[in-house]
Amino acid sequence: MQCPVDGTTLVMTDRQGVEIDYCPQCRGVWLDRGELDKIVERSAPEAPRAAAPAPQSRGGYDEGHAPRKKRRGSFLDDIFDF
């Protein structure tokens, strides 16, 4: 299969039971049917969490947008580390 972006031959790899086709040139990633569902199922939390309260308005440019802290490694980090 060819990369739709640059025409390079895609490389297939298996990461934790998920088949991923990726382009070694442009680093694009393509998933076969059902593979995205596998990723979503594995990355979903075990139990539903209560909804967080809406952020209080502070006014100004960044209203409601607090900087996010980088999380430690997740399931997705293990899959897309090539």
Side-chain angles (χ1 to χ4, degrees):
M1 184 184 221
Q2 303 296 319
C3 175
V5 175
D6 60 20
T8 303
T9 301
L10 296 178
V11 177
M12 186 181 79
T13 185
D14 185 277
R15 296 295 185 112
Q16 300 180 5
V18 178
E19 290 182 0
I20 298 171
D21 296 312
Y22 70 95
C23 176
Q25 190 71 27
C26 72
R27 311 285 289 174
V29 175
W30 287 267
L31 302 171
D32 295 331
R33 177 176 283 171
E35 299 300 330
L36 181 59
D37 293 334
K38 288 181 185 179
I39 293 171
V40 169
E41 287 173 8
R42 292 180 185 187
S43 65
E46 293 291 323
R49 296 182 185 177
Q56 297 293 324
S57 175
R58 298 183 315 242
Y61 178 75
D62 64 346
E63 184 174 323
H65 299 303
R68 294 185 180 187
K69 294 181 180 177
K70 183 162 174 81
R71 293 184 187 185
R72 290 194 162 188
S74 72
F75 170 73
L76 297 175
D77 291 337
D78 294 336
I79 290 179
F80 296 111
D81 68 348
F82 47 86

